[in-house]
């Protein structure tokens, strides 16, 4: 949670390694359906960044090759859309030079990727993919990696039969019905499209908002407000992007009550208070925390050792924080905050607090020691802020609903025990990084070949197991590398599109590693807040007030959106989290003042 650099080495470990074969130059394969595969006609047929150029040396074959240089968080991607045939296997290869070069293909049901580091000599990358039923186009791409030097590519080959452009849309699905009402969800079903055009997906629009894509003829609309009427309509789309007109609307009304929320207001601001340490932001007494903050997370409870499970919390020592209050005053201030409806939680972990519950003994000690902290200070619950190497997934642990890795299984068991101990009043929040959550759209643990980072998306089974007891999930939309969104484009932190794309993944759900059969289901809207740095000093990826509120406009109203369009409108999105209350005060309380006013207007 505290500011730290994101190391290139860490980012790269999530990518599957591929051996690069370094061989003498050889002619490209004869069967090649790419346009201008050797860049002999410059960049014609390719979409590349502005600094990319066709160079005459060095080349692998012919007279030209492409040269592009990553800039900042931009990977310098060159790509080409190719018409293909459904249900067909294709071989993809390219000759490359550079420190890190990536080759891949994306499209509906297609996600092939490989990479290598051939350095200053030509090496060949190879991968393959099979198109699904109805898939008629894919995007072939080459790119480098941020923070690295230029890469070269030549003689790109997509070996397989070409296709003809598809312009015919499916027929409109009919007989949409809405039922199965609960306080927060409605069930939809409809008749399939009736013609011979392949249907790749159906798109469900709620109240004329951006549609949600589904693969079958039913849909569960979740995260809805109680006692509210919603209107839905459905259309059918093929793999080429041709969509039918929407069918007739149908409506349904949720039942009264429900929703959860831990006794919090409809819109919340969550902030971390540096209660156990000092840094350049200065110490803030509990009694001086502004009323704008609804949830106050005490940072941090940390273990006596990585695997002990024994969590300890102490107030910042006077030598570090000369204005620290006494424990009695600290507890009295907590009670005063709670009397005004605030929640005060102990946050476990942080950047330095690695917690690995590898054994049953560590699990039991975790429950005992965390409970002791909650009881001593009279706290409302627990925030899990595990970072670094606290969580991972063992090889073969791929079932979201039934994890087997001890550190994951023991954490889930410990949280369930604490929830059972304190009952309905227990507030549970989590603050993972994007690496541990949204990265699951591409990578989950070590992956099928064991070469990816075992920590990738390792929070997902914990979130999934605790979703019925989870009050808030506020993923840290900062200190993050680029993350692929549901639009299959990479999004970078610091602007409104990043927050819209990352939040949409939580509220629409997503297939893990692109596998529709292994899907992370959407959370309720009232369970999700957006995590942000409170100022430029607080973390890498600061987003201005204006950009944050553009993201909130897009997510909650469907207006003011940028290039990314969310799969739905989420009027009950819960609010914002900030690292930290201290850094916000250091910055003149710009974050809390501006966003408290916005959330109050939002209602």
């Amino acid at each position: 949670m505290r500011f730290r650099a994101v190391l290139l080495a860490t980012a790269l470990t999530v990518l599957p390694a591929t051996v690069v074969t370094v061989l003498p130059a050889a002619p490209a394969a004869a069967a090649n359906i790419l346009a201008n595969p050797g860049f002999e006609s410059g960049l014609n047929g390719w979409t590349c960044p502005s600094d990319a150029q066709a160079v005459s040396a060095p080349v692998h074959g012919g007279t030209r090759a492409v040269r592009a240089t990553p800039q900042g968080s931009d990977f310098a991607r060159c790509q080409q859309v190719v018409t293909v045939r459904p249900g067909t296997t294709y071989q993809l290869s390219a000759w490359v030079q550079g420190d890190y070069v990536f080759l891949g293909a994306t499209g509906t049901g297609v996600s092939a990727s490989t990479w290598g580091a051939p350095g200053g000599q030509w090496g060949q990358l190879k991968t393959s993919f099979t198109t699904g039923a109805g898939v008629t186009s894919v995007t072939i791409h080459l790119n480098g990696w941020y923070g690295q030097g230029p890469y070269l590519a030549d003689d790109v080959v997509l070996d397989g039969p070409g296709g003809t452009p598809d312009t015919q849309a499916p027929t409109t699905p009919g007989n949409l019905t809405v039922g199965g009402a609960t306080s927060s969800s409605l069930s939809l079903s409809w008749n399939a499209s009736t013609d011979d055009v392949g249907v790749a997906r159906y798109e469900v629009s709620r109240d004329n908002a951006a549609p949600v894509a589904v693969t079958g003829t039913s849909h569960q609309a979740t995260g809805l407000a109680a006692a509210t009427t919603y209107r839905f309509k459905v259309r059918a789309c093929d793999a080429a992007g041709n969509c039918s007109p929407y069918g007739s609307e149908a409506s349904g009304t949720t039942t009264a009550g429900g929703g959860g929320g831990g006794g919090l207001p409809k819109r919340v601001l969550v902030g971390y208070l540096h209660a156990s340490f000092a840094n350049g932001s200065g110490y803030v007494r509990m009694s001086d925390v502004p009323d704008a903050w609804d949830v106050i997370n005490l940072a941090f409870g940390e273990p006596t050792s990585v695997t002990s499970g024994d969590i300890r919390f102490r107030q910042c020592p006077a030598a570090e924080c000369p204005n620290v209050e006494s424990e009695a005053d600290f507890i009295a201030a907590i009670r005063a905050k709670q009397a005004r409806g605030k929640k005060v939680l102990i946050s476990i972990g942080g950047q330095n607090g690695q917690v690995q519950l590898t054994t049953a003994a560590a699990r039991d000690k975790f429950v005992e020691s965390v409970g002791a902290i909650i009881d001593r200070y009279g706290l409302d619950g627990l925030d899990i802020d595990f970072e670094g190497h606290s969580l991972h997934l063992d090889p073969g642990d791929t079932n979201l609903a039934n994890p087997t890795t001890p550190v994951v299984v023991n954490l889930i068991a410990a949280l369930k025990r604490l929830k059972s101990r304190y009952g309905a009043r227990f507030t549970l929040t989590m603050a993972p990084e994007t690496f541990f959550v949204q990265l699951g759209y591409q990578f989950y643990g070590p992956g099928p070949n064991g070469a990816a980072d075992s920590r990738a998306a390792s929070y997902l089974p914990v979130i999934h197991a605790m979703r019925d007891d989870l009050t808030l999930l506020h993923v840290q939309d900062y200190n993050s590398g680029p993350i692929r969104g549901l639009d299959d484009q990479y999004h970078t932190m610091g602007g409104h599109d990043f927050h819209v794309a990352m939040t949409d993944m939580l509220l629409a759900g997503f297939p893990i590693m692109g596998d529709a059969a292994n899907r992370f289901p959407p959370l309720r809207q009232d369970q999700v807040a957006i995590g942000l740095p409170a100022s430029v000093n607080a973390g890498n990826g600061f987003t201005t007030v204006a950009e944050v509120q553009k993201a909130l406009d897009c997510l909650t109203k469907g207006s003011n959106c940028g290039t990314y369009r969310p799969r739905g409108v989420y009027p009950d999105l819960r609010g914002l989290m900030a690292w930290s209350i201290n850094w916000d005060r250091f910055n003149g309380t710009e974050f809390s003042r501006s966003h408290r006013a916005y959330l109050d207007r939002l209602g």
Side-chain angles (χ1 to χ4, degrees):
M1 180 68 73
R2 304 175 200 171
F3 175 79
R4 59 178 173 79
V6 179
L7 298 177
L8 171 64
T10 299
L12 286 175
T13 54
V14 303
L15 298 166
T18 299
V19 175
V20 176
T21 306
V22 179
L23 297 171
N32 191 358
I33 61 174
L34 288 172
N36 190 23
F39 303 95
E40 302 304 311
S41 300
L43 301 181
N44 290 338
W46 296 87
T47 301
C48 296
S50 59
D51 72 326
Q53 56 184 315
V55 297
S56 57
V59 300
H60 173 262
T63 61
R64 296 288 182 89
V66 67
R67 184 181 189 274
T69 305
Q71 301 288 340
S73 60
D74 176 62
F75 293 168
R77 172 168 290 195
C78 284
Q79 61 186 36
Q80 181 178 145
V81 178
V82 187
T83 302
V84 293
R85 294 184 187 177
T88 304
T89 298
Y90 290 83
Q91 305 296 323
L92 177 63
S93 65
W95 289 87
V96 297
Q97 287 189 32
D99 291 338
Y100 294 97
V101 192
F102 298 79
L103 172 70
T106 58
T108 303
V110 173
S111 183
S113 181
T114 186
W115 68 280
Q121 53 187 330
W122 290 106
Q124 191 177 34
L125 298 175
K126 292 183 178 181
T127 187
S128 64
F129 59 89
T130 301
T131 55
V135 175
T136 57
S137 68
V138 296
T139 300
I140 304 301
H141 63 263
L142 287 152
N143 59 265
W145 191 253
Y146 64 92
Q148 302 300 293
Y151 71 90
L152 289 146
D154 199 0
D155 294 333
V156 189
V157 175
L158 182 59
D159 189 348
T164 57
D166 175 11
T167 59
Q168 182 181 358
T171 58
T172 302
N175 195 30
L176 172 63
T177 59
V178 182
T182 72
S183 61
S184 61
S185 66
L186 291 165
S187 299
L188 286 65
S189 63
W190 56 89
N191 292 341
S193 184
T194 57
D195 61 14
D196 294 330
V197 176
V199 175
R201 66 186 185 279
Y202 292 94
E203 294 189 344
V204 180
S205 174
R206 188 182 85 204
D207 295 334
N208 291 319
V212 175
V214 298
T215 55
T217 57
S218 63
H219 173 62
Q220 188 81 2
T222 59
L224 307 180
T228 303
T229 298
Y230 294 91
R231 297 175 293 114
F232 299 91
K233 56 187 178 181
V234 181
R235 65 183 179 183
C237 301
D238 63 20
N242 303 305
C243 295
S244 72
Y246 281 106
S248 299
E249 282 191 345
S251 62
T253 303
T254 53
T255 59
L264 290 168
K266 182 177 180 180
R267 312 289 183 191
V268 299
L269 280 184
V270 180
Y272 286 78
L273 183 67
H274 306 181
S276 66
F277 65 94
N279 62 12
S281 63
Y283 184 80
V284 177
R285 292 186 174 208
M286 174 63 70
S287 59
D288 293 332
V289 174
D291 278 345
W293 301 101
D294 302 293
V295 179
I296 304 164
N297 291 329
L298 305 180
F300 289 104
E302 298 181 355
T304 55
S305 68
V306 172
T307 59
S308 70
D310 188 4
I311 306 300
R312 304 295 176 88
F313 169 76
R314 64 167 190 166
Q315 289 179 259
C316 185
E320 234 182 295
C321 304
N323 61 325
V324 65
E325 66 269 56
S326 68
E327 182 178 76
D329 287 346
F330 183 65
I331 293 173
I334 290 173
R335 297 292 179 274
K337 294 297 181 186
Q338 292 168 328
R340 291 198 290 273
K342 313 302 181 183
K343 302 291 185 183
V344 184
L345 315 180
I346 180 65
S347 181
I348 306 298
Q351 178 185 342
N352 298 327
Q354 306 294 302
V355 181
Q356 296 176 1
L357 304 183
T358 56
T359 65
R363 173 200 65 199
D364 295 344
K365 191 64 178 178
F366 182 88
V367 173
E368 174 195 333
S369 58
V370 170
I373 295 169
I374 292 173
D375 293 343
R376 176 167 184 161
Y377 295 95
L379 304 179
D380 297 287
L382 171 65
D383 172 69
I384 297 296
D385 182 19
F386 285 12
E387 301 181 21
H389 292 269
S390 293
L391 293 178
H392 71 275
L393 293 167
D394 288 339
D397 189 354
T398 59
N399 189 327
L400 176 70
N402 294 288
T404 57
T405 306
V407 293
V408 171
V409 173
N410 288 332
L411 176 60
I412 292 169
L415 295 178
K416 287 186 176 294
R417 286 191 192 179
L418 287 165
K419 171 64 178 179
S420 177
R421 174 175 173 175
Y422 292 102
R425 72 181 183 88
F426 187 70
T427 300
L428 176 64
T429 66
M430 299 183 189
E433 296 165 293
T434 57
F435 178 92
F436 295 100
V437 182
Q438 288 93 338
L439 189 65
Y441 185 50
Q442 291 181 269
F443 303 101
Y444 191 65
N449 62 3
D453 193 317
S454 64
R455 299 170 299 158
S458 55
Y459 248 94
L460 287 182
V462 180
I463 297 168
H464 184 65
M466 301 304 300
R467 64 173 55 237
D468 291 339
D469 299 313
L470 181 64
T471 309
L472 283 174
L473 176 71
H474 28 69
V475 175
Q476 300 176 35
D477 283 4
Y478 52 96
N479 293 343
S480 171
I483 300 291
R484 184 186 289 179
L486 296 179
D487 58 352
D488 286 323
Q489 301 298 311
Y490 284 92
H491 298 271
T492 56
M493 59 186 180
H496 67 281
D497 259 4
F498 185 72
H499 304 301
V500 173
M502 295 302 99
T503 306
D504 190 36
M505 296 180 79
L506 303 175
L507 295 174
F510 57 88
I512 296 173
M513 291 195 299
D515 181 3
N518 190 25
R519 185 175 179 82
F520 177 77
L523 294 166
R524 298 193 317 267
Q525 295 176 34
D526 65 276
Q527 289 179 298
V528 176
I530 301 172
L532 301 155
S535 73
V536 293
N537 309 93
N540 186 20
F542 173 72
T543 309
T544 64
V545 168
E547 285 292 292
V548 172
Q549 294 181 6
K550 282 176 67 176
L552 291 171
D553 283 346
C554 180
L555 289 163
T556 62
K557 305 173 186 176
S559 63
N560 214 7
C561 296
T563 56
Y564 184 94
R565 301 292 301 189
R567 297 325 188 240
V569 177
Y570 310 113
D572 297 317
L573 179 69
R574 205 60 185 270
L576 302 173
M577 174 273 277
W579 176 260
S580 63
I581 292 170
N582 303 62
W583 281 118
D584 181 48
R585 190 186 73 163
F586 185 86
N587 196 42
T589 69
E590 178 190 52
F591 185 99
S592 56
R593 285 185 293 104
S594 302
H595 294 316
R596 177 79 274 164
Y598 175 94
L599 293 175
D600 290 344
R601 291 194 303 270
L602 193 59

